[in-house]
Amino acid sequence: MKFRLSTLLRTGAAVAALGVSTLALSQAAFPDKPVSLIVPFAAGGPTDVVARMIAIPMGKALGQTVLIENAVGAGGTIAATKVARAAPTGYTIFIHHMGMSTAPALYKKLSFDPLKDYEYIGQVVDVPMTLLARKDFPPTNFPELAAYLKANGNKVSLANAGLGAVSHLCGLLFMSQMGVELNTIPYSGTGPAMNALLGGQVDLLCDQTTQTVPMIKDGRVKVYGVTTLNRLSALPNVPTLSEQGLKGFEVKVWHGMYAPKGTPAPVIEKLNAALRAAMQDPVIKQRLAELSSDIPPMDKISSAGLKTHLEAEINKWGPVIKKAGIYAD
Ligand code: MLT
């Protein structure tokens, strides 16, 4: 059989056009099945709480269920790697906190690049932290805590969610400003770390208000301070660590939502619109306000808003972490 070049070219063009229109159709139909939202820490912890909260209104806006999948370990880097390698279809998306910006300096070998391997859906929420102890931990206030830590040093245990977790960074900052070395114990998230605190297996934990406000209000844990420069509306009687002597102590945890690199722009736009709808949902606004967590301005809940912020944070944390000499092999 003989093929004419012109026929072949015409057929090729038709096939290419068909391919393009099939792609356009599949993007227009997105999503026609549930979307998986990967959470890099254990169920029940603060990232999981935020993800489950916004999955419902995002799902409503998308017309499909947003399913939560916890992929835990190595301070969130296991999930980040999984998402970097996922199919770029929009059906796998990812929520992570500022650990995305500290990982490049903390991990000598990182199997993803936060600035090259993702598309950016938008910033999500900014969450303060609190310094907590098990209920029966002896010090009853911050000055007593300071004296107790000086006397007992690494007999005191401090839980965290692994290298690169914000509980880990908060703990490092706390130990450095207090001039003490505590016995740090890693968990797969601050959900399980909180269970260990409630069970009396560890003494201290620095954790986000999205998990801790209800525990503090119910008196299930002891609180020594909040990590913002001003007191929180949700916990007006809890002093800041800064006002109690740790001058300038400040940790506020930003979060972002990502998709694998190559996810088509129209799909990212739909996911962004759903995220914005979720962040404007009155129920979400009220719940986050009750947890003293801030919704970023709308221009930050955007692809450019998240990417610019991530770049700035990588540049901020890199030198700090290198100077402190903290890293994993
Ligand atoms: C979590 O969701 O478990 C926390 O965000 C972990 C952390 O401290 O970074």
Side-chain angles (χ1 to χ4, degrees):
M1 197 194 287
K2 279 193 185 154
F3 287 103
R4 277 177 193 274
L5 183 61
S6 58
T7 313
L8 201 60
L9 287 176
R10 269 202 309 276
T11 314
V15 169
L18 191 66
V20 168
S21 62
T22 310
L23 185 68
L25 263 182
S26 75
Q27 287 168 18
F30 175 85
D32 59 7
K33 60 179 182 182
V35 171
S36 284
L37 174 55
I38 311 277
V39 173
F41 296 103
T47 317
D48 187 71
V49 165
V50 170
R52 284 175 203 275
M53 204 188 282
I54 61 174
I56 295 166
M58 272 191 84
K60 254 192 225 155
L62 289 168
Q64 281 289 341
T65 310
V66 174
L67 299 168
I68 304 297
E69 193 187 316
N70 301 85
V72 307
T77 58
I78 287 179
T81 304
K82 182 181 163 112
V83 175
R85 294 183 185 154
T89 54
Y91 290 101
T92 301
I93 57 173
F94 177 46
I95 183 169
H96 196 2
H97 57 40
M98 56 197 256
M100 266 310 244
S101 59
T102 54
L106 284 173
Y107 285 83
K108 271 190 171 169
K109 290 184 211 127
L110 202 62
S111 40
F112 64 92
D113 183 334
L115 293 175
K116 290 198 182 131
D117 293 342
Y118 304 91
E119 304 294 342
Y120 305 90
I121 299 170
Q123 282 191 53
V124 182
V125 67
D126 298 330
V127 187
M129 301 189 83
T130 48
L131 180 67
L132 310 176
R134 62 181 159 83
K135 211 174 152 186
D136 53 358
F137 193 55
T140 58
N141 54 37
F142 190 80
E144 282 182 29
L145 174 70
Y148 190 92
L149 297 185
K150 289 246 148 60
N152 292 284
N154 72 358
K155 282 193 221 119
V156 176
S157 54
L158 170 65
N160 67 41
L163 190 78
V166 286
S167 44
H168 175 240
L169 293 171
C170 179
L172 286 176
L173 195 61
F174 176 71
M175 288 190 285
S176 129
Q177 290 209 17
M178 294 290 286
V180 294
E181 194 66 48
L182 308 177
N183 176 22
T184 53
I185 307 202
Y187 290 83
S188 61
T190 52
M194 177 63 82
N195 287 339
L197 194 76
L198 294 171
Q201 288 117 33
V202 290
D203 300 317
L204 297 172
L205 171 67
C206 191
D207 197 17
Q208 297 166 72
T209 55
T210 33
Q211 166 157 256
T212 64
V213 164
M215 315 274 178
I216 295 169
K217 285 191 165 163
D218 293 355
R220 280 181 275 166
V221 290
K222 198 173 264 184
V223 60
Y224 294 114
V226 298
T227 66
T228 40
L229 296 180
N230 297 311
R231 291 190 185 202
L232 303 176
S233 56
L235 301 166
N237 299 324
V238 179
T240 68
L241 291 173
S242 184
E243 77 186 70
Q244 298 182 93
L246 296 186
K247 266 235 144 331
F249 192 104
E250 189 180 21
V251 188
K252 202 157 184 195
V253 186
W254 63 269
H255 295 71
M257 192 174 278
Y258 307 80
K261 185 81 188 172
T263 304
V267 169
I268 295 295
E269 276 159 29
K270 283 190 185 174
L271 290 164
N272 171 264
L275 176 61
R276 283 173 174 236
M279 302 318 287
Q280 286 168 301
D281 182 301
V283 176
I284 300 296
K285 280 174 136 176
Q286 190 189 329
R287 285 190 66 195
L288 288 174
E290 285 163 6
L291 300 167
S292 281
S293 298
D294 297 330
I295 294 173
M298 277 299 142
D299 63 317
K300 303 256 182 192
I301 310 178
S302 67
S303 199
L306 173 56
K307 180 134 197 243
T308 307
H309 190 66
L310 177 65
E311 268 164 357
E313 287 280 292
I314 289 174
N315 292 335
K316 174 177 131 184
W317 283 103
V320 175
I321 291 166
K322 283 201 176 110
K323 193 167 169 214
I326 324 152
Y327 59 83
D329 287 318

